[in-house]
């Protein structure tokens, strides 16, 4: 096979985007773009990306065997009044007996953490407005890359690109997860003359 020629324009286009440099403490991703350096909390960043993806629901997956769970009286009353709200998010709930409920569908993206979803549903009451954010934050948090996880270069590069494209890099819990340094700041910090 003959190699395709790479033009200076191709190289410049690649160099303009963010570049993943490495991972430290199995927690922070290091990236650079132009004259900027970024430290990114991998868990919080992935959690935010998942939060945004989860909000779109995606494909709803019927469960071959519905999950049955018991709840306390206050949750039973809450679910009786608000089961349709969960249905709007692809979670089909049905009351099967006194203090007993069944989950029969779930967004496909949430399937790996279905037990966390059931625990959430079976333990929450309160204002619907708060429930929305709590539900997505819990789901994203449980599915996200954890602090201490090693991450491969391709996944890290993708994560960096998505994070640096965000207008407001804040996790669902409200924490900022990007530390930004400009080249001039770093030069000044080590006593280099600018």
């Amino acid at each position: 096979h003959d190699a395709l020629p790479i033009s200076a324009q191709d190289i410049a286009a690649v160099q303009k985007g963010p570049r993943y440099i490495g991972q430290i403490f199995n927690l922070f991703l290091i990236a650079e773009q132009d004259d900027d350096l970024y430290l990114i909390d991998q868990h919080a960043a992935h959690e935010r990306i998942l939060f945004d993806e989860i909000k779109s629901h995606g494909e709803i997956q019927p469960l071959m065997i519905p999950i049955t769970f018991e709840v306390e009286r206050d949750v039973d009353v809450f679910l009786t009044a608000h089961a349709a709200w969960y249905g709007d998010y692809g979670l089909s709930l049905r009351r099967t007996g006194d203090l007993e409920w069944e989950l029969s569908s779930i967004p496909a993206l949430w399937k790996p953490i279905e037990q966390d979803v059931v625990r959430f549903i079976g333990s929450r009451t309160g204002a619907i407005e708060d429930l929305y954010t709590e539900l997505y934050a819990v789901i994203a948090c449980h599915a996200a890359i954890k602090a201490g996880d090693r991450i491969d270069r391709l996944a890290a590069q993708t994560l960096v690109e998505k994070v640096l494209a965000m207008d407001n890099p804040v996790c669902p819990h409200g924490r900022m997860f990007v530390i930004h340094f400009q080249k001039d700041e770093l030069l000044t910090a080590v006593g280099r003359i600018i």
Side-chain angles (χ1 to χ4, degrees):
H1 298 299
D2 292 334
L4 297 175
I6 298 174
S7 71
Q9 288 174 327
D10 292 335
I11 293 170
V14 169
Q15 290 175 339
K16 284 184 182 176
R19 183 174 72 90
Y20 169 69
I21 296 170
Q23 181 185 41
I24 56 172
F25 312 125
N26 288 341
L27 172 60
F28 294 102
L29 305 181
I30 305 170
E32 69 175 324
Q33 183 171 10
D34 302 322
D35 283 341
D36 298 307
L37 177 74
Y38 300 91
L39 292 179
I40 301 167
D41 177 326
Q42 68 188 25
H43 171 73
H46 192 223
E47 182 179 17
R48 165 62 190 278
I49 290 165
L50 289 174
F51 181 82
D52 291 345
E53 289 174 1
I54 287 167
K55 285 192 319 187
S56 71
H57 310 307
E59 178 186 344
I60 305 303
Q61 179 176 351
L63 300 175
M64 290 182 68
I65 302 171
I67 300 170
T68 302
F69 57 100
E70 292 182 6
V71 298
E72 297 294 325
R73 179 70 56 203
D74 60 334
V75 175
D76 187 59
V77 170
F78 181 82
L79 288 176
T80 300
H82 299 290
W85 179 85
Y86 282 105
D88 291 343
Y89 298 95
L91 300 165
S92 297
L93 293 172
R94 184 172 71 87
R95 191 168 193 260
T96 57
D98 188 38
L99 305 180
E100 190 172 284
W101 287 80
E102 168 181 283
L103 175 67
S104 60
S105 73
I106 191 167
L109 279 173
W110 304 4
K111 183 74 172 107
I113 56 166
E114 68 185 17
Q115 291 303 317
D116 295 315
V117 173
V118 168
R119 270 191 293 281
F120 179 90
I121 294 168
S123 65
R124 295 300 197 281
T125 62
I128 288 292
E129 304 78 42
D130 296 336
L131 214 59
Y132 169 81
T133 302
E134 287 178 31
L135 174 64
Y136 288 120
V138 165
I139 291 166
C141 186
H142 286 271
I145 296 165
K146 303 292 185 258
D149 287 351
R150 299 278 314 146
I151 183 169
D152 67 67
R153 283 196 81 71
L154 183 58
Q157 178 66 38
T158 301
L159 193 64
V160 164
E161 289 169 4
K162 288 181 177 184
V163 165
L164 296 184
M166 290 178 185
D167 291 330
N168 186 24
V170 175
C171 81
H173 305 291
R175 285 189 303 114
M176 179 67 75
F177 56 81
V178 176
I179 300 172
H180 171 235
F181 301 97
Q182 293 181 323
K183 182 179 178 180
D184 293 346
E185 292 175 271
L186 294 172
L187 292 173
T188 300
V190 296
R192 291 252 180 209
I193 305 215
I194 301 173

